[in-house]
Amino acid sequence: MATAQTLRQKERRRHLWIYAGLTPFVFIAVFPIYWMLITAFKQDPDLYRMDNIPFWFNLAPTLRHFKILFFQTNYGAWIVNTMTIAAWVALITLVTAVPAGYALARLRLPAAENIGISVFMTYLVPPIILFLPLSRVVAMLGLQDEWWALVVVYPTFTIPFGTWLLMGFFKTVPMEMEEAARVDGCGYLGAFLRVVLPVSVPGVLTAVIFAFTLSMQDFLYGLAFVAPGDQKPVPVGVPTELIRGDVLGLADGGRAPRGLAGRGALQLLPRPLHPGHHRRRGEIERAGESIASRRLELSVRQSASGFTTGSGRPG
């Protein structure tokens, strides 16, 4: 009886130490999401006031930020574009990488292993190196400033990794299963469709998820090949259309910062934005032009004064 109690106490201590060690990591992972969510639903005065408790709602929650997001911006179109692009890229990757991976894993091709490694190495090429040749391809296809250009470009890095990944999955399928299927009258295609592919569903799903998520997260190609506001995906539309720089302002006569923490947290969201980010583009551009003109005028005056001083010196 004492031994059983001792074992239970040891087990409880073990679980206690495990949970104690996991708690900091869980807090670090969950707290930004919690802060992001409560900030998205806070009213503007709740974000401004520094004397309020920031970890909960001091005023009633509001949906005003989401109304601004979906009714005053192109965010809805960006979501549709992003999902459509990712779906097409996942489909193209699946149709291309599955037969390629199976051929490299099963068929007796010369240097099949080296070919598989070479295919994977193309995935490691930095996207900035492929930018110029791919822009030429997009121009030849007449897809400039359309999201279809991204459907053409993204498979260049999803297909190599998907092929290498599926090649490893297909190698784990026992060869005896295919041989038994061929003995029963199936050819290579029948054995692949009826035996190998159903067993390799986890690998196929992994490749599809990888292609889908990577297409949703890319920024460089989307910024380079898509310019119209209604054609952009979310990773490009948010920083280029919604963020106009952070013009810092002070409320309460200069005593309270204007919701800087709320702005930083909201930038992590699919953009419930602080209204400061919705300032008209013309006002910001005029302010920038005014500052630039003043700097140019000052530099011209300094140059003129320096030239006058220099010319007035005796030879």
Side-chain angles (χ1 to χ4, degrees):
M1 188 68 178
T3 305
Q5 291 180 352
T6 303
L7 292 176
R8 282 196 295 268
Q9 290 177 357
K10 289 183 179 179
E11 191 70 16
R12 290 173 183 171
R13 283 202 205 99
R14 187 174 70 87
H15 284 95
L16 182 61
W17 282 109
I18 291 175
Y19 290 130
L22 290 176
T23 299
F25 297 98
V26 174
F27 178 80
I28 293 172
V30 174
F31 181 76
I33 301 174
Y34 167 76
W35 185 271
M36 176 180 61
L37 291 177
I38 65 170
T39 308
F41 291 97
K42 281 187 176 183
Q43 297 186 27
D44 294 336
D46 202 358
L47 295 174
Y48 296 156
R49 298 300 299 271
M50 299 298 293
D51 54 348
N52 289 339
I53 299 176
F55 303 108
W56 193 242
F57 298 99
N58 299 284
L59 299 175
T62 180
L63 295 176
R64 181 174 179 272
H65 302 298
F66 292 97
K67 291 179 181 178
I68 293 174
L69 182 67
F70 285 101
F71 294 104
Q72 299 183 19
T73 68
N74 290 322
Y75 190 76
W78 299 340
I79 292 178
V80 174
N81 295 340
T82 303
M83 293 300 175
T84 307
I85 293 168
W88 275 107
V89 172
L91 179 62
I92 294 173
T93 303
L94 181 64
V95 172
T96 307
V98 168
Y102 177 77
L104 293 174
R106 279 290 188 259
L107 303 182
R108 293 186 177 90
L109 300 176
E113 188 71 24
N114 294 331
I115 293 174
I117 296 175
S118 302
V119 168
F120 177 71
M121 292 299 292
T122 61
Y123 167 72
L124 302 179
V125 177
I128 194 66
I129 296 178
L130 301 176
F131 164 69
L132 291 177
L134 288 176
S135 63
R136 180 63 177 170
V137 172
V138 170
M140 291 176 62
L141 295 176
L143 298 176
Q144 303 98 321
D145 293 336
E146 296 183 9
W147 59 260
W148 281 104
L150 304 181
V151 177
V152 176
V153 169
Y154 287 163
T156 58
F157 54 82
T158 59
I159 290 177
F161 185 82
T163 301
W164 179 79
L165 182 68
L166 290 172
M167 184 176 65
F169 271 94
F170 290 144
K171 285 182 178 180
T172 61
V173 180
M175 181 66 72
E176 290 78 9
M177 297 177 63
E178 292 186 65
E179 293 175 351
R182 286 198 289 271
V183 169
D184 291 337
C186 294
Y188 280 102
L189 181 60
F192 171 71
L193 294 177
R194 298 180 181 180
V195 177
V196 179
L197 195 58
V199 175
S200 304
V201 168
V204 174
L205 291 178
T206 302
V208 170
I209 293 172
F210 167 80
F212 194 90
T213 55
L214 197 60
S215 302
M216 293 178 61
Q217 297 173 0
D218 178 74
F219 176 78
L220 175 62
Y221 288 144
L223 180 64
F225 297 132
V226 181
D230 59 342
Q231 296 288 319
K232 294 179 180 180
V234 172
V236 179
V238 169
T240 58
E241 297 286 334
L242 300 185
I243 299 177
R244 299 298 180 188
D246 199 357
V247 181
L248 301 182
L250 295 177
D252 298 332
R255 292 189 297 271
R258 190 186 293 249
L260 299 182
R263 292 187 188 186
L266 289 176
Q267 288 178 1
L268 300 176
L269 280 174
R271 285 308 268 180
L273 293 175
H274 189 277
H277 288 296
H278 290 278
R279 296 180 178 177
R280 290 175 295 177
R281 182 176 182 179
E283 295 178 357
I284 297 175
E285 290 180 350
R286 285 194 295 271
E289 292 174 359
S290 176
I291 294 173
S293 62
R294 290 178 182 176
R295 290 179 177 176
L296 179 60
E297 182 181 356
L298 180 61
S299 63
V300 170
R301 289 181 178 178
Q302 291 176 349
S303 300
S305 62
F307 176 78
T308 304
T309 305
S311 61
R313 293 175 181 174

